[in-house]
Amino acid sequence: KALFSRGGLYYELKEDYAHALECYTSGGDHSKVSELLVRNAELHPGMGHYAEMEKYYRSLPEAEILASPSLMQGMSMLCALAMDYEGSEHWYGELQAFAERCGRQDAAGKQARSRLAWLDISLPQRGVNGLTETIPAVFRLLMNKKVTLPSFSVTSALPSIMNGGKDFSEWSKKDDLLYKTLRLPVETVLGRDGVGLADCAIAESKFEKGEDVAGRMLSLLPQLNEVRNRGTPDIEFAVSGLLARSQLASGQPADARRTIEVLRECFAKRGLTRFLPNMDAMLCRIDMHTGNLDAADAWYREKAPREPTHLNVMRRYQYLTQAMVELENGRPDTVQLTLAPLEPYVQNCARIIDGIHLNVLTAIALYRKKDERWRERLTVALDAAAEYRFIRTVSVYGTAVLPLL
């Protein structure tokens, strides 16, 4: 038992939670297992190790979960990430009932209300329609010190705010108005994650609509130092990702590659390994754009998920990149196999931008198979792009989508 306990501590310090839990479980140290699961539940999905820890969460006695606001929050988010939205809402309801049983001044009640507010903003199936009311309400609670919030997953470690933890396409329709009215509440509610967020988000919204954002990038880049010092690496990656995409759109692929390579090197030195797989996928997209197909094939062989039976929604940027390489390699059947598991997630969580990409890629695959259903898929993608004026989201496919248009 002592040996397993030391092994668990070693892995815990290395942040290898899967092996740490294995050791603590083998040593019969249930309190350490529970402590680690509680601590993980306090991290946002971009940092939490939900996939590796799922079996441990699910093996907890129900009574133990019901006694802990952290564990109920963790179970609600875990179920949502596993696309079990009914289970997610069940645990949200249990947490709500717990909060109602507690007194207004009760510390456990305050913790439960804080975690409910966090879930209201964070749960992927909730979309963004209610956030214009939720965020100001949570802002007032924070100002009155009635809640304290855990950190958020604004980007889910993706190079985007518009299409990160949530899809903010609906907000894009009124981006200038929302920038003026919601900037302060959003930045306050999100804390460190709010530093630089509003300026990056509006620049990305304009970019998706095909506008020239060179001027906005010039005012955004000086904020990177503040983001590094006071903010989070998530926003740093989102800003750099937008810069790289705008460089690529301006015909500067070498500069775009350099932007991501420098950031990747910096993040690797800082131990921020959770961002590296999406950075590698982004470099692969740049390689395809410039015709460096050998490099794209190397990414596909060595780093692509290639696991159609084990969907992890946190890897969706990599799945879409994988489908692009498969199209490039003339494998339309494989493209459909890669993308099909994403369909329910895109529909249930109102992922407009992911849906446009998914439908365009599927349409190209069907077109190349001479399957007439390509027309239906392309129409769905173009209707969504037209509704939100997302010109860039479709035009990024260039000559691959031209024959269909």
Side-chain angles (χ1 to χ4, degrees), residues 171-183 202 206:
W171 284 24
S172 184
K173 290 179 176 179
K174 303 174 183 172
D175 50 14
D176 290 314
L177 174 66
L178 290 170
Y179 177 80
K180 289 173 189 168
T181 57
L182 278 183
R183 179 177 181 169
I202 195 165
K206 303 296 186 189

Side-chain angles (χ1 to χ4, degrees), residues 43-237:
L43 298 172
H44 63 64
M47 290 177 70
H49 300 258
Y50 287 95
E52 304 98 296
M53 293 184 167
E54 181 170 1
K55 67 177 181 180
Y56 298 101
Y57 275 109
R58 296 203 185 274
S59 66
L60 285 172
E62 187 165 331
E64 189 174 333
I65 301 171
L66 290 170
S68 164
S70 287
L71 289 176
M72 284 185 275
Q73 171 200 332
M75 285 300 293
S76 182
M77 182 54 76
L78 174 75
C79 290
L81 293 174
M83 297 202 294
D84 172 14
Y85 303 115
E86 192 179 330
S88 175
E89 295 298 339
H90 163 75
W91 287 112
Y92 179 90
E94 293 290 359
L95 181 57
Q96 206 168 29
F98 181 97
E100 286 166 5
R101 289 194 299 271
C102 296
R104 300 304 298 172
Q105 303 305 317
D106 193 322
K110 181 178 179 180
Q111 189 190 8
R113 288 190 294 276
S114 300
R115 294 182 188 289
L116 282 169
W118 185 90
L119 287 171
D120 284 334
I121 294 171
S122 301
L123 282 176
Q125 70 268 29
R126 294 294 171 87
V128 298
N129 287 337
L131 284 184
T132 46
E133 291 83 37
T134 303
I135 287 177
V138 173
F139 173 66
R140 287 191 292 274
L141 290 173
L142 277 172
M143 291 296 96
N144 297 329
K145 297 187 167 48
K146 290 184 179 176
V147 295
T148 54
L149 295 177
S151 61
F152 286 91
S153 179
V154 176
T155 69
S156 291
L158 272 75
S160 171
I161 290 171
M162 282 280 296
N163 188 30
K166 297 266 190 184
D167 181 299
F168 284 98
S169 299
E170 283 295 331
W171 284 24
S172 184
K173 290 179 176 179
K174 303 174 183 172
D175 50 14
D176 290 314
L177 174 66
L178 290 170
Y179 177 80
K180 289 173 189 168
T181 57
L182 278 183
R183 179 177 181 169
L184 179 60
V186 165
E187 289 182 348
T188 305
V189 166
L190 296 180
R192 286 170 61 86
D193 286 285
V195 179
L197 179 141
D199 288 321
C200 182
I202 195 165
E204 189 180 350
S205 174
K206 303 296 186 189
F207 179 79
E208 287 291 350
K209 294 174 186 174
E211 295 183 27
D212 180 8
V213 295
R216 290 182 184 273
M217 292 310 303
L218 285 175
S219 61
L220 191 56
L221 289 177
Q223 294 182 42
L224 269 176
N225 266 340
E226 189 184 6
V227 171
R228 287 187 195 108
N229 296 330
R230 291 182 45 244
T232 62
D234 299 68
I235 304 299
E236 191 178 345
F237 183 28

